[in-house]
Amino acid sequence: MAAKEICVNPKARRQAAASKDKPGEASANRKGVDDPDYENITLTFRNQDQPKGSYSPPKSKAWAKPSSDSARASHWLQTAVMSLYILLALFSIILLVWVLVNNSKMSRELLALKGELWNNVSIPVRECQEKQKQDLNCICQKIANRLDTIKNEIEKLKMLSEGINKNQSQLQEVLAMLKKMQNQQPKTE
């Protein structure tokens, strides 16, 4: 792989071009390294004759072995990521506790609201049920009174029927006696 150096600052670009002209002095005359306006951006390009999917190992040993700076940076990065995970876990625990506390408060409020609703609804319901019981008792009492009246009337009808039957038997007796008397009178004449 070939590496190409791109300088963003024009002054640094001229310095880079001058250092390429003098290969022996390239590393000695790097004024841009100390310059704060200098930006060194290294881009890696794939060779044109190399196939797309293939990868060739780097040619210098510096690429293969991480330097102590990169090792320190990767250790720092791992520590930072671990700290972020721990902070995320603590935040999640705090959020969970907050949700549970609010849930228990909400549950208590809902239970209190349920009690109030039950009392507010149950009082009219109880009053309605008592009124219905009173109305039902009143209707049952009226029905019982009517049944008693009907029973009394039936008893009276039975007595009248017996009286009529008695009167009818007496009338038949009287008719029979009248017939006998009629039958006896014409014989005497």
Side-chain angles (χ1 to χ4, degrees):
M1 288 198 180
K4 183 178 178 182
E5 204 174 88
I6 297 175
C7 299
V8 176
N9 195 345
K11 182 179 172 185
R13 193 177 298 151
R14 281 190 299 259
Q15 289 173 352
S19 67
K20 284 183 182 177
D21 292 339
K22 302 174 189 172
E25 297 176 6
S27 58
N29 292 333
R30 296 192 106 187
K31 296 178 185 175
V33 173
D34 296 331
D35 190 5
D37 294 334
Y38 177 80
E39 288 188 37
N40 185 5
I41 300 173
T42 304
L43 298 176
T44 305
F45 296 96
R46 183 175 50 86
N47 286 337
Q48 295 297 329
D49 31 274
Q50 191 178 24
K52 257 190 180 179
S54 70
Y55 172 79
S56 65
K59 293 180 180 161
S60 73
K61 295 282 183 179
W63 285 95
K65 184 178 176 185
S67 68
S68 62
D69 288 342
S70 67
R72 275 190 231 133
S74 68
H75 176 68
W76 175 85
L77 183 62
Q78 288 176 352
T79 306
V81 168
M82 186 60 71
S83 298
L84 286 175
Y85 281 139
I86 290 170
L87 285 174
L88 181 64
L90 288 174
F91 179 73
S92 298
I93 290 170
I94 290 169
L95 184 64
L96 179 66
V97 167
W98 181 75
V99 166
L100 289 175
V101 166
N102 281 343
N103 190 16
S104 69
K105 285 180 185 176
M106 184 70 74
S107 295
R108 279 185 254 135
E109 289 174 4
L110 285 174
L111 285 174
L113 183 63
K114 178 185 171 189
E116 289 176 19
L117 283 174
W118 185 253
N119 288 337
N120 290 341
V121 169
S122 65
I123 290 171
V125 167
R126 276 189 243 142
E127 290 174 355
C128 183
Q129 286 176 344
E130 287 176 12
K131 185 165 177 16
Q132 285 178 347
K133 283 180 185 178
Q134 289 173 354
D135 291 345
L136 185 63
N137 287 338
C138 182
I139 290 170
C140 287
Q141 186 65 35
K142 286 180 180 180
I143 289 173
N145 289 341
R146 297 290 177 179
L147 285 175
D148 287 342
T149 305
I150 291 171
K151 284 180 184 177
N152 289 337
E153 295 297 321
I154 289 174
E155 288 296 321
K156 285 180 184 178
L157 286 174
K158 282 182 182 178
M159 288 171 63
L160 282 173
S161 174
E162 287 175 6
I164 290 173
N165 287 339
K166 194 175 184 182
N167 287 338
Q168 191 176 10
S169 63
Q170 285 177 357
L171 280 173
Q172 285 177 354
E173 286 177 15
V174 168
L175 278 174
M177 283 171 69
L178 281 174
K179 278 187 183 180
K180 275 186 188 178
M181 287 170 97
Q182 278 180 353
N183 286 339
Q184 287 177 359
Q185 279 181 2
K187 288 184 184 177
T188 51
E189 285 179 8

